[in-house]
Amino acid sequence: QVQLVESGGGLVQAGGSLRLSCAASGRSFSSFATGWFRQAPGKEREFVAAIGWSGGSTYYADSVKGRFAISRDNAKNTVHLQMNSLISKDTAVYYCAAGVGTVVRAVWHYWGQGTQVTVSS
């Protein structure tokens, strides 16, 4: 099994930045693709970004492309989501996930507990 713990969420004003982190333990983290998802109240969970096991391939939802950046450090068993130019629509609980497959079509097997991001405007 892989255990994932998110951190870095909080309250930020529109136009500001926030950096989310996900710490992994258990099964070899470097063997998995990782991704970020988010869910706002009353909304379906949606894909945000994904990165391959090597860190060389990334994929973003159109809604965050150009504003968010996903990265990973396999030596430290961590994955990050740098969030810039935040807007109120970005308000949601953000979840870290790990799985297998390509960044475009991965099968997500493991999930973190989520961290709240609130953008005020």
Side-chain angles (χ1 to χ4, degrees):
Q1 283 72 40
V2 172
Q3 294 80 47
L4 304 171
V5 180
E6 301 97 331
S7 63
L11 175 65
V12 64
Q13 289 188 315
S17 298
L18 207 59
R19 185 176 178 85
L20 305 183
S21 297
C22 176
S25 62
R27 190 176 296 174
S28 180
F29 173 71
S30 62
S31 298
F32 295 92
T34 56
W36 289 93
F37 294 75
R38 67 187 183 185
Q39 187 168 23
K43 298 288 187 69
E44 299 287 334
R45 183 178 63 185
E46 66 174 342
F47 169 81
V48 176
I51 187 167
W53 68 269
S54 69
S57 299
T58 58
Y59 182 60
Y60 298 92
D62 289 341
S63 59
V64 305
K65 196 173 299 181
R67 299 190 297 119
F68 292 8
I70 188 171
S71 62
R72 68 187 296 166
D73 186 340
N74 289 339
K76 297 181 179 179
N77 293 331
T78 58
V79 60
H80 304 280
L81 184 68
Q82 180 65 46
M83 310 163 67
N84 300 321
S85 302
L86 286 162
I87 58 177
S88 59
K89 196 177 179 180
D90 295 320
T91 295
V93 176
Y94 284 71
Y95 298 91
C96 179
V100 296
T102 67
V103 296
V104 177
R105 283 193 172 180
V107 179
W108 306 106
H109 295 295
Y110 307 103
W111 298 85
Q113 84 288 348
T115 185
Q116 177 71 48
V117 172
T118 302
V119 183
S120 62
S121 61

